[in-house]
Amino acid sequence: MEANTDLNDRRLADAWAELHNFAVAGNPLDADAYRLAFADPEFMLRRETRGIRFQLELLKPDLEMAALGIEHTVVVYGSARMLSKEDAAQQLQAAQASGDEERIARGELAVRNSHYYDQARQFARLVAEYGKSRPQKERIYICTGGGPGIMEAANRGAHDAGALNVGLNITLPHEQSGNKYISPSLCFKFHYFALRKMHFLMRAKALVAFPGGFGTLDELFEVLTLVQTGKAKALPIILFGSEFWKKLINFDALVEQGTVSANDLKLFHYVDDPAEAWQLIRNFYHI
């Protein structure tokens, strides 16, 4: 069989991604001493070259965003499992047709939580519409983790407004893909959570955390800690969905136990309305 010699840039990039996934799954790659170092997957994926990979994951998105003039972002976190009202209704309908009580319960929960998807979409549209109206250096862009759920909703809201928006995807065992509302030129993929977190905060002017799971909590507490300790500048940190957050975390108990100060509770705000969340950010920056 004749070999396929149509080696375009996209195919080469995809081949590199496949080799990477193959290697991190514990499959050894054959060394080739004659390859150029930067074109040798076996060499570039060694433990000893991890520092170089760190640098590259920091540099690539930084250069791409700088080229498009993206200097200010509002970062939206939240569960990947939240569905739009339409998708939640379809899930519930399918569950009811199956007669499976557990599926029906999940479907009913999806319908109840779908308002968070709509609110994230509304909030992101407010930010994006403002950003489009400003001069280039003053524009604010929506940035998310790039996945489904609340992330998709926020990217979708910016997309509704016709604005560029950012998605910082991460490679996972179940292979998360970027949602379809991210601007293609700003849909990035990371291997290292640490570098992805840096890019969330490098341009962040505000953080809005919708209800979510371990990943959302991880990002939220990292930002709270950085601001509390002065390692990052103060910025609006908004917990959207007061009922969810107050039920989930008893921050007052931390004050009672002396593990944080009462002033630390001023680092964040509870919000239940997209317009109120956006107004908090505008008030903070006097815009």
Side-chain angles (χ1 to χ4, degrees):
M1 181 181 292
E2 186 177 342
N4 184 350
T5 57
D6 181 20
L7 291 177
N8 55 45
D9 290 345
R10 178 76 254 181
R11 188 159 170 258
L12 286 169
D14 288 343
W16 250 103
E18 288 180 20
L19 284 169
H20 175 265
N21 291 338
F22 185 79
V24 297
N27 302 298
L29 297 174
D30 293 332
D32 190 329
Y34 193 66
R35 285 195 187 112
L36 292 168
F38 55 80
D40 184 348
E42 192 276 339
F43 173 72
M44 287 297 291
L45 296 175
R46 289 173 62 119
R47 180 184 62 81
E48 294 87 348
T49 57
R50 184 176 293 148
I52 299 170
R53 297 195 298 275
F54 284 175
Q55 293 176 40
L56 292 173
E57 282 210 341
L58 180 65
L59 185 61
K60 179 182 175 180
D62 194 35
L63 292 176
E64 295 295 329
M65 283 192 263
L68 291 172
I70 296 177
E71 299 179 7
H72 312 297
T73 61
V74 170
V75 178
V76 179
Y77 296 137
S79 174
R81 305 182 188 191
M82 299 291 186
L83 300 177
S84 66
K85 286 183 179 178
E86 298 78 12
D87 289 342
Q90 289 179 11
Q91 179 176 308
L92 177 57
Q93 185 178 15
Q96 290 170 334
S98 74
D100 185 318
E101 292 186 4
E102 186 175 338
R103 282 185 64 187
I104 292 171
R106 289 199 302 269
E108 290 172 343
L109 179 62
V111 170
R112 289 199 300 273
N113 284 336
S114 63
H115 68 282
Y116 289 124
Y117 183 104
D118 292 340
Q119 289 168 321
R121 183 178 176 183
Q122 292 171 34
F123 169 76
R125 180 161 189 158
L126 289 172
V127 176
E129 286 175 343
Y130 171 84
K132 283 185 64 180
S133 72
R134 306 304 300 164
Q136 179 65 49
K137 286 192 172 294
E138 298 177 16
R139 289 182 183 173
I140 302 174
Y141 300 86
I142 288 292
C143 176
T144 79
I150 293 298
M151 296 172 281
E152 175 187 291
N155 289 122
R156 186 175 182 178
H159 182 270
D160 291 341
L164 290 174
N165 61 90
V166 183
L168 306 182
N169 289 270
I170 188 76
T171 55
L172 298 171
H174 50 271
E175 196 58 29
Q176 174 185 306
S177 297
N179 68 68
K180 62 183 179 181
Y181 300 105
I182 305 167
S183 300
S185 58
L186 294 168
C187 186
F188 301 104
K189 190 173 187 178
F190 291 81
H191 176 70
Y192 297 105
F193 271 103
L195 275 299
R196 181 183 185 233
K197 287 180 177 181
M198 288 189 68
H199 276 288
F200 275 133
L201 289 180
M202 283 169 62
R203 298 165 185 80
K205 296 302 176 186
L207 163 70
V208 183
F210 281 77
F214 292 158
T216 302
L217 293 171
D218 174 46
E219 302 289 359
L220 170 63
F221 278 102
E222 178 135 28
V223 175
L224 284 171
T225 302
L226 289 170
V227 175
Q228 179 202 44
T229 57
K231 293 290 286 184
K233 292 182 179 179
L235 77 168
I237 301 172
I238 296 170
L239 305 185
F240 198 104
S242 57
E243 182 181 0
F244 172 88
W245 288 108
K246 289 179 180 179
K247 182 178 181 181
L248 181 69
I249 306 169
N250 184 355
F251 286 104
D252 291 329
L254 298 179
V255 177
E256 292 170 6
Q257 294 299 319
T259 56
V260 302
S261 71
N263 280 334
D264 289 332
L265 302 193
K266 298 177 182 178
L267 295 176
F268 57 87
H269 306 271
Y270 295 107
V271 167
D272 293 294
D273 178 71
E276 183 184 358
W278 174 226
Q279 192 59 51
L280 272 171
I281 297 169
R282 297 192 68 163
N283 292 344
F284 186 92
Y285 291 106
H286 306 291
I287 58 175

